[in-house]
Amino acid sequence: MSLMDALPTPRLRWEGWHPNVVLVSLSLIMLAAFWFFDVVSMAPNRIVLGTGYGALEAFGWPGALLATLLLSFIGILACQPTHRHYRALLAAVIVIMALMPVGLMASSYLLIDPERPQARLGLGTAYWVVLFVLLLCLVELRLRLNLTRIWPTLLLCGVAVVWWLCAAFGLETLALVQEFKARDQQFLSAVAQHIKLVGIAVSVSIVLGLALAMLMRRYARLQKGVFAVLNFLQTIPSLALFGLLLAPLAWLAANVPFLGQLGVSGIGTTPALIALIAYSLLPIVRNTYTALEQVSPETLEAAKGMGMRAGQRFWQVRLPLALPVLLEGVRITTVQAIGLTAVAALIGAGGLGTFIFQGLGQAAMDMVLLGALPILMLALVVDAGLGALAEALRPGGTR
């Protein structure tokens, strides 16, 4: 036997080494973004474009080294993942998210002159990339730890509280905070109007969707026609549908005094609600119809054998078993409506979309974020809440 045959092969050294490639790759992406992109930007006022600063200029050597160690910690633990390591990784991701506003406070102290109150600190490309990748890490860890959707949302709500406290007491120079302070009452009104539009549209869609699904089950000939109409409505771009509603609603308001007294007009809330309801019907009807049809015939026969009447079988057997799938339709509809309501601002319906379009018109990206970030947070909370409720209502669901 030769000497080469007697030596162990390099492959043996790596036996049992099964890294989580996803988390390792995400850690490397965050490190690259942190060191090669601008971390923050600083502008002397709202009009002048900001100047970007890298990690060393924004945080100094101690801060940059600490951030590098924290981001590297994710990749290191992911090289030999265990259940305990995944728990530690989850804690690390949450801690890093919670420390990000503290880093902004340090950058504000290092970069902004206290004698220039109009100076504004903005988030750089690296900050957005790291935040987005951390959310991807959270998704991966939720799957690995087999957590329900509600847990990441609760953790993110805790992170949001930390961000809010830092913004309220130590980030007065942050451009997003300055935009909020300049129009805080308008912002709160926009949030309330946005939630109101979504709530009304989804509520009406649920009632109409249930009625249509029930009619389609009773009269099978309606199925193709109803789905064809609802699919056609989905193909119309949102702006086009809002525009198509302006003329007929304006004519009705002018020629039917009763509708005018109710507040119907070509612009404003009425066309926004009609369009949102039209877009929301398809997921509700499809999921409701599918859920009701998928209930096992054997289960219904067993209920019939127990002496249940038709109405009892529907309300006590068919509907409870169909409820998880039905809630998935409500979840999809609500998340879709939260996003589409932003476009309704173009026809005077209000909501958070007002800040988005005003910011685009003024080339003020921080005002755009003032409208876009709450929409994103609303969508995440609703998606997690309704998704967790649907999981809990599934037969045998324990999570």
Side-chain angles (χ1 to χ4, degrees):
M1 181 173 60
S2 64
L3 179 62
M4 293 299 296
D5 293 333
L7 293 175
T9 60
R11 184 181 304 173
L12 295 177
R13 300 177 183 178
W14 301 98
E15 287 182 357
W17 190 71
H18 302 289
N20 186 310
V21 179
V22 174
L23 290 176
V24 172
S25 301
L26 293 178
S27 176
L28 293 175
I29 291 172
M30 288 189 288
L31 286 170
F34 181 74
W35 282 104
F36 292 106
F37 294 144
D38 291 334
V39 176
V40 297
S41 65
M42 194 276 288
N45 52 56
R46 190 174 188 267
I47 300 175
V48 179
L49 292 176
T51 302
Y53 293 91
L56 293 178
E57 297 169 304
F59 299 145
W61 272 108
L65 180 60
L66 176 62
T68 302
L69 292 175
L70 288 173
L71 296 177
S72 301
F73 181 73
I74 296 176
I76 293 170
L77 279 186
C79 287
Q80 187 65 28
T82 62
H83 190 77
R84 184 170 58 182
H85 284 178
Y86 280 132
R87 287 180 176 273
L89 283 168
L90 180 62
V93 168
I94 298 301
V95 168
I96 293 173
M97 286 185 176
L99 288 177
M100 291 180 77
V102 178
L104 290 175
M105 295 169 65
S107 299
S108 176
Y109 176 79
L110 292 173
L111 298 177
I112 294 183
D113 187 352
E115 297 181 359
R116 303 178 67 179
Q118 299 299 322
R120 302 158 65 90
L121 186 72
L123 300 179
T125 304
Y127 244 89
W128 292 115
V129 172
V130 170
L131 184 58
F132 176 73
V133 174
L134 285 173
L135 291 174
L136 294 180
C137 292
L138 199 59
V139 173
E140 172 69 11
L141 291 170
R142 183 185 80 84
L143 297 175
R144 295 292 180 175
L145 293 171
N146 201 27
L147 301 175
T148 59
R149 297 178 183 179
I150 197 65
W151 281 108
T153 304
L154 292 176
L155 293 173
L156 288 177
C157 287
V159 172
V161 171
V162 176
W163 276 77
W164 180 80
L165 291 173
C166 291
F169 301 105
L171 283 176
E172 296 84 0
T173 59
L174 188 64
L176 189 60
V177 174
Q178 293 186 6
E179 293 289 346
F180 170 76
K181 288 184 176 181
R183 47 187 64 82
D184 53 349
Q185 295 300 319
Q186 183 184 354
F187 174 81
L188 295 176
S189 298
V191 172
Q193 177 68 3
H194 202 98
I195 295 175
K196 177 184 174 182
L197 289 172
V198 172
I200 294 174
V202 173
S203 300
V204 174
S205 299
I206 291 173
V207 174
L208 292 178
L210 287 172
L212 286 174
M214 296 297 295
L215 288 173
M216 289 163 57
R217 290 190 64 251
R218 188 174 183 86
Y219 305 102
R221 294 180 181 179
L222 290 177
Q223 180 180 350
K224 290 184 178 180
V226 170
F227 278 128
V229 172
L230 296 180
N231 280 314
F232 171 73
L233 290 174
Q234 289 286 327
T235 63
I236 303 176
S238 56
L239 283 177
L241 185 55
F242 287 135
L244 290 173
L245 292 171
L246 295 180
L249 289 175
W251 183 88
L252 286 173
N255 293 275
V256 183
F258 174 71
L259 294 178
Q261 293 174 359
L262 290 177
V264 175
S265 63
I267 60 173
T269 303
T270 304
L273 286 176
I274 293 175
L276 289 173
I277 292 169
Y279 281 119
S280 301
L281 279 174
L282 179 60
I284 291 288
V285 174
R286 181 176 56 201
N287 279 51
T288 303
Y289 181 83
T290 302
L292 293 175
E293 289 295 311
Q294 284 183 347
V295 176
S296 171
E298 291 79 7
T299 303
L300 297 174
E301 284 296 325
K304 185 177 181 181
M306 294 172 64
M308 287 187 176
R309 295 187 296 272
Q312 291 177 317
R313 292 197 300 272
F314 177 80
W315 292 106
Q316 298 180 25
V317 180
R318 186 185 289 273
L319 185 60
L321 291 176
L323 196 56
V325 180
L326 194 154
L327 279 175
E328 286 294 332
V330 175
R331 179 182 65 83
I332 295 170
T333 297
T334 308
V335 172
Q336 175 180 277
I338 290 172
L340 285 175
T341 303
V343 186
L346 290 174
I347 57 171
L352 291 166
T354 304
F355 296 107
I356 295 176
F357 295 112
Q358 285 182 359
L360 291 174
Q362 301 175 20
M365 294 310 298
D366 295 302
M367 189 185 294
V368 174
L369 292 174
L370 189 62
L373 291 179
I375 292 175
L376 175 62
M377 293 178 65
L378 280 173
L380 288 174
V381 170
V382 168
D383 178 76
L386 291 177
L389 182 59
E391 287 179 352
L393 291 176
R394 287 194 179 95
T398 58
R399 295 187 299 157

